[in-house]
Amino acid sequence: MTTATQESAVATAQNGDALSLIELFPQDEDWSLQTMRLLSQVAVGGADLFECARTAQRIGTETTDGEVWQREWSRTGREIADAAQAALDRGEITTARRAFFRAMSYWRHSEFFLDSSDPRRTEAYNEGRKNFRKAVELSGGLIEQIAVPFDGVEMEGYIVRPDASGVARPTVLFLGGADSWAEELYFLGGTEFPARGMNVVMVDTPGRGSSLRFKQLYSRPDYEVPVAAVLDFLEQRDDVDGDRIGLAGVSFGGYYAPRAAAFEPRVKAVAAWCGTWSILTDFYEFYPPLQQQLQWLSGSKDDAEARAKLAEFTLDGVADKLKIPVYVMHGTADIIMDIQGANRFVEALTSDDVTVDIYDGAGSLHCSYDYMSVAGARLGDWFLHRL
């Protein structure tokens, strides 16, 4: 294997503890980590720092009661949505669009730790999606809702374009992780592609978003099948250059994207934003707090069934089939996905063009939440040079 680039982030947390950078909830590591994900979106309009700080202040630094978490983040989502609607009623389009975007993020945040069967999870999803789509309507045609036929239903999503010219452009299909929403991917690096002249496509593929909640499309190891359906759909569009298709996956998507690219010849470059080898060992067993969520998205009734299903989600016998450019990004302090899985994936690659970014210190958190402006830009630039 020829490694085109293998580098480590130069920034280092001053005290060596990445979580101490912005730890709004010192009493709960998971609350703090997920809130850093939200804070990372401030730069691209997915949240406001002080709206988050005021919400955190209401929650406090003593309680670990999930009811308080849900109540206060949903309150913020509702209040910002009301402000967005008031701005729209006054004809203040830009203000309304920005606020609708932020309201979506707060609703998403409110439901993150709820049980999969909790009806408030569906309420939060519906409210969040509704607000995002109101923002889409105010985007001047740059963001378009799409629906991809698959397995007798439709996978819902969006295409985001640099402009409304209709020119055929290189296009990146951006796959989320464990129950990520298509909508939130817009703020987790999705803005980087249009800023560089590329389209980005975000779809609720199996095991995620509306496909999981309303259509019982559970996650599956052969992810090239739903990806092929999305590519079939994109090939029919005049604004997509079918010869320049990229595939990126974040978190659990670090399995989905390489797996699909290994069996889908239309993909010309692939990125794993969090590398992995085995979802069972590198994710399910490595980070028990998300086991219930992984059971849900895999359509499993219990731990034993989930383990049996997730054992099939491995890149063993897959990684060496990738002959296209491959990009792998991971952090040394990732507590959700084991970096050893990323290392094993990289070692198995046989492509002549492999780029590996291992972040230590700044960027070392899961999905480099604490270095998003750099990590997201690196992802966008890498695809720009490959497509």
Side-chain angles (χ1 to χ4, degrees):
M1 177 184 68
T2 301
T3 303
T5 306
Q6 182 151 2
E7 59 189 53
S8 174
V10 296
T12 302
Q14 290 182 348
N15 63 357
D17 181 1
L19 274 182
S20 69
L21 294 174
I22 303 179
E23 195 169 10
L24 294 180
F25 301 105
Q27 75 275 32
D28 192 300
E29 184 178 46
D30 293 323
W31 283 14
S32 284
L33 178 63
Q34 291 306 321
T35 302
M36 275 188 260
R37 173 180 61 88
L38 185 62
L39 295 177
S40 73
Q41 301 172 22
V42 168
V44 291
D48 175 85
L49 178 61
F50 293 99
E51 289 169 355
C52 292
R54 284 189 285 271
T55 306
Q57 187 175 48
R58 295 198 306 266
I59 294 172
T61 57
E62 302 296 329
T63 183
T64 56
D65 185 352
E67 293 296 310
V68 178
W69 171 280
Q70 187 277 333
R71 182 189 70 211
E72 295 305 329
W73 285 110
S74 61
R75 170 184 164 182
T76 300
R78 191 174 291 108
E79 289 176 351
I80 302 306
D82 289 344
Q85 187 59 52
L88 183 59
D89 293 343
R90 295 190 298 268
E92 298 162 358
I93 303 301
T94 299
T95 299
R97 182 182 67 251
R98 291 173 175 172
F100 281 131
F101 276 144
R102 300 199 309 277
M104 184 283 297
S105 296
Y106 301 141
W107 276 110
R108 163 57 168 160
H109 210 49
S110 76
E111 61 102 59
F112 193 87
F113 295 107
L114 292 176
D115 187 270
S116 60
S117 62
D118 194 315
R120 292 173 298 179
R121 193 154 204 174
T122 299
E123 176 195 18
Y125 179 81
N126 286 334
E127 289 296 322
R129 182 173 63 170
K130 178 178 70 176
N131 280 284
F132 187 86
R133 289 183 173 179
K134 286 183 177 179
V136 167
E137 293 173 2
L138 304 176
S139 71
L142 298 184
I143 309 176
E144 177 188 335
Q145 286 181 229
I146 60 175
V148 178
F150 179 70
D151 204 15
V153 295
E154 290 183 327
M155 300 185 294
E156 300 171 82
Y158 309 88
I159 182 169
V160 188
R161 299 168 293 188
D163 55 49
S165 67
V167 172
R169 296 182 181 276
T171 300
V172 176
L173 172 58
F174 192 16
L175 301 173
D179 185 37
S180 62
W181 306 3
E183 291 79 9
E184 72 178 297
L185 292 178
Y186 180 69
F187 304 108
L188 289 175
T191 61
E192 299 290 351
F193 303 105
R196 290 163 174 77
M198 295 175 279
N199 302 319
V200 63
V201 176
M202 309 162 299
V203 176
D204 279 335
T205 45
R208 301 176 40 246
S210 59
S211 292
L212 172 63
R213 285 166 170 78
F214 308 131
K215 300 162 189 178
Q216 288 71 56
L217 287 180
Y218 298 110
S219 188
R220 52 192 294 165
D222 57 341
Y223 227 72
E224 65 275 13
V225 178
V227 164
V230 178
L231 300 188
D232 290 345
F233 175 87
L234 294 177
E235 281 187 330
Q236 307 306 311
R237 295 184 61 101
D238 293 336
D239 54 2
V240 171
D241 184 342
D243 293 325
R244 292 189 290 172
I245 297 290
L247 184 59
V250 62
S251 192
F252 196 147
Y255 166 81
Y256 293 147
R259 164 70 199 213
F263 297 98
E264 177 47 74
R266 288 173 289 186
V267 175
K268 300 301 189 292
V270 64
W273 188 349
C274 291
T276 190
W277 183 254
S278 164
I279 290 297
L280 176 60
T281 59
D282 303 336
F283 193 177
Y284 189 83
E285 295 178 346
F286 186 71
Y287 190 63
L290 282 183
Q291 286 183 353
Q292 184 188 69
Q293 189 152 320
L294 292 173
Q295 290 170 25
W296 177 37
L297 67 87
S298 63
S300 303
K301 64 179 181 296
D302 55 26
D303 174 73
E305 184 177 358
R307 288 176 180 276
K309 287 183 175 180
L310 294 176
E312 298 183 46
F313 288 72
T314 175
L315 295 179
D316 188 9
V318 175
D320 61 347
K321 291 181 170 58
L322 289 165
K323 305 304 180 184
I324 58 176
V326 182
Y327 179 37
V328 184
M329 185 195 309
H330 212 102
T332 58
D334 190 337
I335 65 170
I336 294 180
M337 294 183 72
D338 191 351
I339 193 172
Q340 296 307 318
N343 292 336
R344 192 171 179 186
F345 172 51
V346 170
E347 291 170 1
L349 290 169
T350 58
S351 169
D352 291 332
D353 184 351
V354 177
T355 304
V356 182
D357 281 344
I358 301 298
Y359 290 108
D360 190 19
S364 63
L365 296 186
H366 184 58
C367 301
S368 298
Y369 295 147
D370 58 325
Y371 213 36
M372 187 71 74
S373 60
V374 173
R378 285 280 293 155
L379 181 72
D381 288 337
W382 186 86
F383 274 106
L384 178 65
H385 294 307
R386 298 319 188 278
L387 298 180

